């Protein structure tokens, strides 16, 4: 009794299963259930449940091929929806290997959709395809040829290509056309193996079926130019085929939108252009094709296909070297008709045709023609606007370059959001400004300044071009443009937000043209302008530095590092030229040095530059004396620098430290102690440049972690110590053998390289390893708060432009109301 009950329950489960009674209805129900899912979760559950049922059904030993065929159709649908069903791949391969024609077709279709040529199961189908290619059934051969392009990898092509080439002589035109398509496919993926069958394919150009000829023309269009033997004499054959098309020799089935075999005509025209024959051989057929495409009307009244054929003929004749006045007039008439058309495709093709004409011939557009081109900038389609901008850059001259560059800048600021397109348009504007500069109104300087805020990748190149343009004419009479540029940059620097590229250029202008700050050219006014430029640059640097502290950042962006570096370079240039400085400059340099020792502001190059400038400032009195004797030194240069002996010895007697090289291992305790000792002496400004630079370059991760803690230092130089708990957390590198370099100066003057001093020996002893000592004092400098722990995503000066523009807009509105 129990056995009968079990069989009854199994039969009920079979009847209720979605794949039980009728596979067609069950597959239909699965499709309907999955497509009617209201949520993504419900859809996922439906697909997974259906695929689970199909997997169980396919695992049964007595499943019928017809049922497999219908279940695989749902598997393809599931794969298209993104649900993997790899368990069904092997069943698709088996279905292609056996069964009736309908089942084999279904198996090939599923394999093409599910498998790639690199899949391991595709190897199982190679022998199946070879066997089907050898069949006498035309349908089986067609299915095998269709599957060959998708399932045979390049490394297995040699086993299939001979059989495919044999099908070129098949009695059925469908099989011949499929064979040409397969050979074309392998010519693209493995040309070294398929190149041996080129002559057999070309021999079919006289085939009676126009479809096979069209496939062969596409095949020949992809041939490399090195195949001269194949392309030799090909032009006359192609011309004869085009003549048959023009004379209406093809069946009516090839008539499409009023044009006979339009795609075959495209291929023939492009093949003629690729073969580059003498123009006399093909000019007549191209003219006939152009005339037949237009018919009795103009290019604006014919269909899109006919207009495209006519344009292809004109482009081909241009590239083949037709330069007659009649052809040029015909081309200009066609371009004018296309540009004034309301069809967007016609306008775009008109711009393309004009660009091709300009690139091949010398064209001088009239004012009316230029106006027609300029009207394309008002078209709502961005593709037409961009193509017009490229075209205008090619037809630009000295009179129109300014307006074209303004159009490019307006499009960049108002319509362009693609970063790649922005870079391309910025380069176009830069090329126009460089090619057509104007000394009358200096529009190129204004254009470059307007491009600078939107130039991202080209920012450095644009700044260099601006600097070269400003340095091109340094006569005092031509400084009007320089004054305007400096005034424009000053407005941005004094506003709340400005791009870093603008500020970098402003700093460079102040350091090189600071005399423009005061109009009179007296010696006293030059000194005032120098000090004024120095104060302005220091004020800008302090603003940038304070912004980083207030913005609570975790790491300073590279563009801020670069801006600070440019500021210090400009300050050094001003100090060297005039040997003058201010206390604000000294305090600013100390702030930057203290910040550069932290993890956030960590920049060894910036720190070294600041240290070098501090040492230069400390030597300003001596440098001024040397500057007075500059003419004498230039007459008899002393390359041994012996004139510095008295200065160095005097500094050593006053308590300055001799040169002492740091250990070769950065981050060791000796390096940390010497770096801190050097930084403590900054307030007295009595260190040599070599000590400072060596200390700055040898700081490792230990110093950065040391300076990254919360400091209780204030700006008046008071120093607080670190607790013993914090000092135990400092990690130093293991003691290693360090290089001891000899000092090069003592109080007696120069010494030999093999002498040593007690200072170096004691230094080496202290650098041998960590020891229990009193807590190391932190570096003097400003207090560092929680802004060291957070990050800044944007440049704090990038938001200045909005307020700057709004303020000027407000002024303009007030003026308008008052007037």
């Amino acid at each position: 009794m129990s056995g009968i009950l079990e069989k009854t329950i199994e039969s009920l489960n079979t009847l209720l299963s979605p794949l039980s009674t009728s596979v067609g209805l069950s597959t239909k129900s699965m499709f309907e259930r999955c497509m009617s899912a209201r949520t993504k979760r419900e859809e996922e559950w439906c697909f997974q449940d259906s695929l689970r049922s199909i997997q169980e059904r396919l695992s049964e030993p007595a499943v019928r091929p017809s049922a497999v065929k219908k279940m695989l159709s749902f598997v393809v649908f599931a794969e298209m929806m993104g649900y993997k069903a790899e368990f069904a791949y092997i069943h698709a391969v088996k279905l292609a290997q056996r069964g009736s024609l309908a089942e084999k077709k279904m198996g090939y279709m599923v394999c093409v959709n599910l498998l790639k040529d690199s899949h391991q199961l595709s190897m199982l189908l190679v022998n199946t395809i070879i066997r089907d290619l050898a069949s006498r059934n035309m349908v089986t051969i067609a299915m095998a040829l269709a599957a060959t392009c998708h399932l045979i990898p390049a490394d297995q092509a040699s086993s299939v290509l001979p059989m495919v080439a044999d099908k070129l002589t098949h009695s059925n035109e469908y099989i011949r056309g499929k064979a040409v398509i397969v050979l074309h496919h392998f010519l693209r993926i493995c040309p070294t193996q398929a190149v041996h069958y080129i002559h057999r394919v070309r021999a079919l150009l006289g085939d009676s079926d126009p479809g096979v000829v069209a496939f062969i023309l596409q095949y020949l269009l992809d041939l490399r130019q090195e195949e001269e033997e194949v392309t030799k004499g090909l032009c006359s054959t192609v011309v004869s085929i085009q003549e048959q098309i023009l004379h209406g020799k093809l069946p009516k089935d090839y008539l499409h939108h009023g044009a006979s075999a339009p795609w075959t005509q495209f291929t023939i025209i492009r093949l003629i252009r690729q073969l580059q024959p003498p123009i006399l051989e093909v000019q007549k057929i191209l003219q006939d094709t152009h005339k037949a495409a237009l018919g009795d009307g103009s290019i604006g009244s014919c269909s899109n296909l006919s207009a495209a054929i006519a344009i292809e003929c004109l482009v081909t004749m241009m590239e083949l070297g037709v330069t007659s006045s009649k052809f040029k007039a015909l081309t200009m008439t066609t371009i004018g008709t296309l540009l004034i058309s309301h069809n967007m495709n016609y306008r775009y093709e008109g711009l393309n045709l004009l660009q091709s004409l300009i690139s091949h011939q010398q064209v001088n557009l009239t004012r009316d023609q230029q106006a027609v081109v300029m009207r394309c900038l008002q078209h709502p389609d961005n593709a037409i606007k961009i193509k017009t901008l490229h075209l205008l850059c090619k037809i630009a001259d000295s009179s129109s370059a300014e307006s074209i560059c303004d159009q490019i800048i307006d499009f960049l600021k108002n319509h362009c959001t693609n970063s790649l397109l922005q870079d391309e348009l910025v380069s176009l504007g830069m090329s126009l400004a460089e090619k057509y500069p104007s000394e009358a109104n200096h529009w190129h300087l204004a254009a470059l300044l307007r491009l600078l805020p939107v130039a991202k990748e080209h920012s450095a190149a644009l700044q260099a071009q601006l600097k070269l343009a400003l340095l091109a004419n340094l006569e005092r009479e031509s400084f009007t443009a320089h004054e305007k540029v400096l005034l424009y940059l000053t407005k941005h620097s004094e506003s709340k937000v400005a791009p870093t590229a603008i500020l970098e250029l402003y700093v460079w202008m102040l350091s090189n043209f600071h005399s423009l700050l005061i109009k009179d050219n007296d010696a006293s006014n030059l000194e005032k302008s120098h000090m004024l430029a120095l104060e302005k640059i220091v004020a800008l640097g302090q603003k940038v530095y304070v912004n980083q502290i207030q913005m609570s950042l975790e790491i300073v962006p590279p563009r801020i590092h670069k801006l600070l570096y440019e500021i210090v370079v400009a300050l050094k240039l001003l100090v060297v030229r005039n040997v003058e400085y201010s206390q604000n400059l000294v305090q600013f340099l100390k702030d930057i040095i203290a910040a550069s020792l932290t993890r956030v502001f960590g920049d060894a190059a910036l720190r070294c530059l600041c240290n070098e400038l501090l040492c230069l400032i400390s030597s300003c009195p001596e440098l001024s004396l040397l500057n007075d004797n500059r003419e004498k030194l230039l007459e008899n240069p002393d390359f041994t620098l012996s004139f510095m002996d008295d200065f160095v010895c005097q500094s050593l007697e006053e308590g300055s430290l001799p040169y002492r090289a740091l250990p070769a291992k950065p981050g060791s305790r000796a390096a940390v102690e010497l770096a801190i000792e050097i930084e403590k002496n900054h307030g007295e400004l009595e260190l040599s440049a070599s000590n400072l630079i060596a200390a700055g370059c040898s700081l490792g991760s230990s110093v950065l972690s040391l300076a990254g803690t919360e400091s209780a230092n204030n700006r008046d130089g008071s120093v607080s110590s670190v607790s013993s708990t914090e000092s135990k957390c400092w990690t130093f590198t293991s003691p290693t053998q360090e290089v001891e370099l000899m000092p090069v100066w003592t109080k007696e003057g120069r010494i030999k390289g093999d002498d040593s001093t007690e200072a170096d020996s004691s230094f080496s002893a202290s650098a041998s390893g960590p020891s229990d000592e009193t807590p190391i004092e932190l570096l003097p400098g400003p207090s560092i708060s929680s802004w060291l722990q957070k990050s800044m995503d944007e440049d704090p000066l990038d938001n200045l432009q909005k307020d700057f523009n709004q303020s000027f807009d407000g002024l303009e509105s007030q003026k308008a109301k008052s007037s």
Side-chain angles (χ1 to χ4, degrees), residues 514 526-527 530 573-581 627:
H514 59 83
L526 287 177
E527 294 180 359
H530 158 259
L573 182 62
L574 290 173
V575 171
V576 168
R577 285 179 178 177
N578 296 274
V579 199
E580 294 183 6
Y581 66 96
N627 194 22

Side-chain angles (χ1 to χ4, degrees), residues 266 293-294 299-300 302-312 334 338 346:
F266 278 124
L294 297 180
I299 194 169
C302 59
S303 63
N304 291 341
L305 277 175
S306 300
I309 292 172
I311 293 172
E312 282 291 329
T334 305
L338 292 173
Y346 281 10

